[in-house]
Amino acid sequence: MNKKINNKITICEESTHNMLESLKLLSGLEHKIFVFLANKAVNDEGENREFVFDIRDFWERRERGLNGKNYQEFRECVYNISKLGYKITVNGFKIDGHWFSRVGFYESGTEGVIKFDDYSYAFMQEYIADGGNCDRLMDMTSKYGIRLYDCLKSHVGKRDFAFPLAQLRVDMGVSGDKYPEYRDFKRNVMAPAIFEVNNHTDFLVSFKEKRTNRYVSHLLFTVLKKQPPVE
């Protein structure tokens, strides 16, 4: 099923899912920088999908001053995101896309410029949703919170769904030798992620455990969309 994202482009739900899968390859810091830049795309008046950003705004948001180390760290993360690709289907055509069509930094100062193509720009408008999600996502302190948010976004429209535990571990960025016991994964990964999603996004999420041969094999999620406050 295709959905209209602007006057010229339609993108199917499978493609939206593929773009979310691409984001799961980002590190925690890269993910937050992506959210920061996506917010620029949604809320700033850019000309031809091109926007100017200031690195200081990102680090001040995280209550850290800008220095040479995190200045270089930000630049490296932006270039890593720009190399990340995704595969989508638009109007029946298969397209290999990249999140940024152009990115650069001024030789002096702390500003940079970034340009999005039509597809990534349209995706970001939906990803940030109603404008408030950026601030809420940036407030997350657990690296697992945003990863869980992406997992839930890839199942948007479904109130209840099952997630294989093995796949969830991969999507949450937890390697096989980290928290091998489910009780440790639940306490150190899922508990903080659920807390942050419920407190910093437009979702209310809970889960139950499904056991196969006495072992937890799936998590059964229930996801509700928060109702906007009545004015």
Side-chain angles (χ1 to χ4, degrees):
M1 180 173 135
N2 287 348
K3 54 185 175 182
K4 197 147 185 161
I5 55 179
N6 61 35
N7 291 331
K8 297 181 180 180
I9 301 171
T10 58
I11 183 170
C12 65
E13 293 179 3
E14 180 182 357
S15 295
T16 299
H17 176 78
N18 290 342
M19 295 174 89
L20 285 164
E21 289 296 306
S22 171
L23 293 182
K24 293 175 184 176
L25 300 176
L26 299 177
S27 70
L29 180 59
E30 288 169 351
H31 219 141
K32 288 202 171 186
I33 290 174
F34 173 85
V35 172
F36 168 75
L37 296 172
N39 186 56
K40 298 289 292 183
V42 173
N43 295 314
D44 285 11
E45 292 295 330
E47 186 174 349
N48 296 322
R49 307 281 193 266
E50 190 167 283
F51 305 86
V52 175
F53 60 88
D54 194 321
I55 300 175
R56 291 174 300 183
D57 294 339
F58 176 79
W59 291 112
E60 287 173 2
R61 174 71 192 180
R62 303 194 72 194
E63 298 182 350
R64 291 172 58 183
L66 181 65
N67 56 44
K69 180 181 178 181
N70 55 33
Y71 173 81
Q72 186 60 32
E73 195 174 23
F74 185 99
R75 288 177 57 126
E76 290 175 358
C77 285
V78 170
Y79 284 129
N80 287 341
I81 298 170
S82 70
K83 296 174 186 176
L84 188 64
Y86 55 79
K87 296 181 183 296
I88 60 174
T89 301
V90 177
N91 298 332
F93 293 94
K94 295 187 179 297
I95 296 174
D96 291 333
H98 287 82
W99 290 107
F100 309 141
S101 59
R102 187 169 82 86
V103 60
F105 294 87
Y106 294 107
E107 291 184 1
S108 60
T110 59
E111 292 184 333
V113 62
I114 197 162
K115 186 172 183 177
F116 305 99
D117 65 23
D118 287 340
Y119 314 118
S120 59
Y121 179 80
F123 170 87
M124 288 176 184
Q125 288 181 306
E126 181 177 326
Y127 184 79
I128 295 299
D130 298 324
N133 272 350
C134 176
D135 287 340
R136 295 194 292 265
L137 291 174
M138 290 287 288
D139 284 338
M140 289 184 176
T141 57
S142 167
K143 63 182 178 180
Y144 302 118
I146 296 182
R147 287 189 178 274
L148 180 59
Y149 177 76
D150 285 346
C151 291
L152 300 177
K153 290 286 283 189
S154 67
H155 290 80
V156 67
K158 300 178 182 178
R159 183 182 183 276
D160 301 286
F161 58 90
F163 217 118
L165 181 59
Q167 183 59 49
L168 185 60
R169 290 177 61 90
V170 172
D171 290 347
M172 296 296 281
V174 179
S175 59
D177 58 348
K178 189 172 185 180
Y179 307 131
E181 298 291 334
Y182 171 71
R183 64 177 179 271
D184 295 326
F185 175 78
K186 180 179 179 180
R187 179 176 64 250
N188 295 293
V189 177
M190 293 308 300
I194 292 286
F195 176 84
E196 296 222 306
V197 166
N198 286 342
N199 283 275
H200 296 299
T201 78
D202 49 351
F203 292 136
L204 284 174
V205 58
S206 60
F207 70 87
K208 296 179 181 179
E209 296 152 358
K210 177 183 176 182
R211 294 180 179 271
T212 303
N213 297 327
R214 297 170 54 190
Y215 294 98
V216 175
S217 60
H218 293 73
L219 296 187
L220 309 177
F221 285 94
T222 296
V223 182
L224 301 176
K225 195 77 178 285
K226 292 179 183 177
Q227 296 297 320
V230 178
E231 297 182 358

